[in-house]
Amino acid sequence: MKVSLFITCLGDVFYPGVGKDVVELLERYGCEIDFPGEQTCCGQPAYNSGYHKDTKKTAKHMIQTFEHAEYVVTPSGSCAVMFKEYPSLLKDEPRWKQRAEELSAKTYELTQFLYRVLKVNDTEASLQARATYHTSCHMTRLLGETEAPYELLSNVRGLQLKELPNKQNCCGFGGTFAVKMTPISEQMVDEKVEHIEETEAEILIGSDSGCLMNIGGRIDRLNKPVKVMHIAQVLNSREA
């Protein structure tokens, strides 16, 4: 099975180790990975800010970049959702809309691909820790994936997964929202950190680097003893 990795901007710049874990996980299950070097931002920041004309240029570029792929896998529910917005974005251009639909149909978030395509529910990972999982908004509400992350995490040896209170609440990141509405965003992430503390978790796990960056940054500023990990890092852990 051939898989093209869409690493995302945050993965490329801030969390390159996550990309390594993704590749190792997929290769373990027989996937042949390629990394299209022409990939850029998916266009979500511009799209969510209302710059749809500019986003169309990015969308067309990304469609061309991944057109050869059998499957596209990304360690971000948020960016996977953006690929699935392309058909709507390009609805007035039939030729591009069709190509966008083809890209959308073969794009998966990592845990979704492992669980639903590769039929993996146990990556044989082990991590001795007490943790909680943050369900990001795009992953659950727009991508509609609520089962795969929990199923995979439930089989990590040694991991005690605690339910996060009010897990459905946004962490306050929202891309440009955190920049434009900083005071509100700060209150939202403070509330999220409080709920994390309630679980007495040592580790916060998430499937979107944007959320992890936002929550992790606040945790650091508040000097809280909680480590932040992307789910790919957890599923690839081999702790004795």
Side-chain angles (χ1 to χ4, degrees):
M1 186 176 290
K2 295 183 178 180
V3 173
S4 294
L5 174 61
F6 171 32
I7 190 60
T8 78
C9 302
L10 293 181
D12 183 37
V13 178
F14 296 106
Y15 302 102
V18 170
K20 177 176 178 290
D21 286 307
V22 172
V23 170
E24 290 180 356
L25 278 168
L26 295 177
E27 287 184 340
R28 190 174 301 138
Y29 296 101
C31 295
E32 181 182 330
I33 314 297
D34 77 273
F35 181 80
E38 297 299 313
Q39 62 182 276
T40 62
C41 174
C42 64
Q44 188 175 112
Y47 181 74
N48 288 347
S49 297
Y51 298 104
H52 290 188
K53 183 178 179 180
D54 292 327
T55 308
K56 286 182 179 181
K57 298 176 184 177
T58 302
K60 290 175 181 178
H61 172 76
M62 292 296 268
I63 289 168
Q64 291 175 317
T65 299
F66 287 97
E67 203 147 31
H68 72 285
E70 183 178 339
Y71 290 98
V72 177
V73 175
T74 178
S76 167
S78 179
C79 295
V81 164
M82 189 60 214
F83 271 21
K84 294 180 182 298
E85 290 286 345
Y86 285 176
S88 175
L89 178 67
L90 299 167
K91 63 183 178 183
D92 296 327
E93 301 180 56
R95 176 171 163 270
W96 281 106
K97 181 176 182 290
Q98 180 181 348
R99 295 168 74 180
E101 288 172 344
E102 291 170 359
L103 176 59
S104 172
K106 62 185 180 183
T107 297
Y108 294 86
E109 180 272 335
L110 172 65
T111 62
Q112 188 181 51
F113 186 74
L114 287 169
Y115 184 64
R116 303 195 181 279
V117 179
L118 297 181
K119 306 302 181 184
V120 173
N121 65 359
D122 185 352
T123 63
E124 300 181 9
S126 57
L127 181 63
Q128 300 292 328
R130 186 169 56 253
T132 191
Y133 176 73
H134 167 64
T135 56
S136 57
C137 300
H138 280 166
M139 178 85 161
T140 54
R141 296 171 191 169
L142 298 181
L143 192 62
E145 186 54 72
T146 58
E147 186 178 355
Y150 284 106
E151 182 67 24
L152 288 160
L153 289 173
S154 71
N155 289 310
V156 176
R157 281 75 168 161
L159 188 69
Q160 302 173 48
L161 196 64
K162 304 292 184 179
E163 186 81 358
L164 183 62
N166 293 331
K167 63 182 181 180
Q168 74 281 356
N169 288 358
C170 176
C171 72
F173 180 59
T176 55
F177 174 82
V179 178
K180 294 179 178 179
M181 304 289 183
T182 303
I184 299 175
S185 173
E186 186 176 303
Q187 291 180 45
M188 293 170 73
V189 74
D190 279 346
E191 183 179 83
K192 183 65 67 174
V193 172
E194 288 175 9
H195 292 319
I196 293 167
E197 285 190 291
E198 288 176 29
T199 68
E200 299 183 342
E202 301 165 293
I203 298 173
L204 169 69
I205 304 169
S207 299
D208 273 292
S209 295
C211 298
L212 292 178
M213 183 174 67
N214 187 49
I215 302 170
R218 195 59 180 162
I219 286 172
D220 286 345
R221 286 186 177 223
L222 296 173
N223 294 313
K224 303 295 184 181
V226 180
K227 181 180 179 180
V228 171
M229 293 182 72
H230 190 280
I231 195 167
Q233 297 172 300
V234 176
L235 297 179
N236 197 39
S237 292
R238 292 294 185 274
E239 188 177 278

